[in-house]
Amino acid sequence: MAGCPAVNVGADQQELLDAARGAARQAYAPYSKFAVGAALAFEDGTVVTGANIENASYGLSLCAETVAVAAAMKDGRRGGLVAVAVAGGDGAAPVTPCGRCRQVLSELAQLGGTDPVVWCAGGPDVLEARLSALLPHAFGPETLA
Ligand code: THU
């Protein structure tokens, strides 16, 4: 996947990935044993994290990114999302947001008119892409306006 040119997004890649890795330690993933953490960075410098929370009814499981977005929005955030870090798994391939999480992230981003950079890690390699590249032609609040 194509990377993005380095830009000042108001968030440090290493710090945000460390926050995501820290959040992954709080994952409840007894079924997949695939712990994931997500960290969202906002324009005001705030970082909000989430971890995946699974359920014995497997399909009800929540991804780390969705938990992080829910945590941010219940605190009143409606935009300002500048960067996202996702980390976890078995330490091999970078963990990229699933399709549902791309849509959930996109809603929050579109509310503030930002296109956050997304950093994905598993092992040492970091995949970097804009959310708009991960979810082109996104459906969102503007579509319904
Ligand atoms: N998972 C996430 O938390 N985020 C993603 O973007 C990909 C998948 C979780 C869901 C499930 O608990 C576990 O990883 C294995 O799929």
Side-chain angles (χ1 to χ4, degrees):
M1 184 179 301
C4 300
V7 288
N8 179 10
V9 297
D12 179 78
Q13 183 192 95
Q14 200 56 53
E15 280 179 22
L16 205 61
L17 279 167
D18 283 348
R21 291 188 186 98
R25 286 196 284 275
Q26 304 300 328
Y28 173 67
Y31 307 109
S32 72
K33 305 196 188 321
F34 193 89
V36 182
L40 312 179
F42 290 87
E43 281 165 349
D44 65 1
T46 304
V47 171
V48 179
T49 62
N52 55 332
I53 300 172
E54 297 185 345
N55 191 281
S57 179
Y58 299 164
L60 301 183
S61 297
L62 299 172
C63 287
E65 301 91 318
T66 291
V67 170
V69 169
M73 293 191 75
K74 71 90 178 126
D75 282 342
R77 293 190 178 274
R78 300 290 186 268
L81 183 62
V82 292
V84 177
V86 185
D90 55 14
V95 179
T96 55
C98 76
R100 183 177 188 273
C101 287
R102 294 176 195 201
Q103 180 69 29
V104 170
L105 289 163
S106 179
E107 178 86 14
L108 180 54
Q110 284 190 44
L111 287 175
T114 62
D115 184 12
V117 64
V118 183
W119 292 310
C120 308
D125 293 341
V126 178
L127 186 153
E128 176 179 298
R130 290 283 170 184
L131 184 57
S132 62
L134 296 178
L135 188 69
H137 309 293
F139 182 85
E142 289 297 318
T143 318
L144 296 176

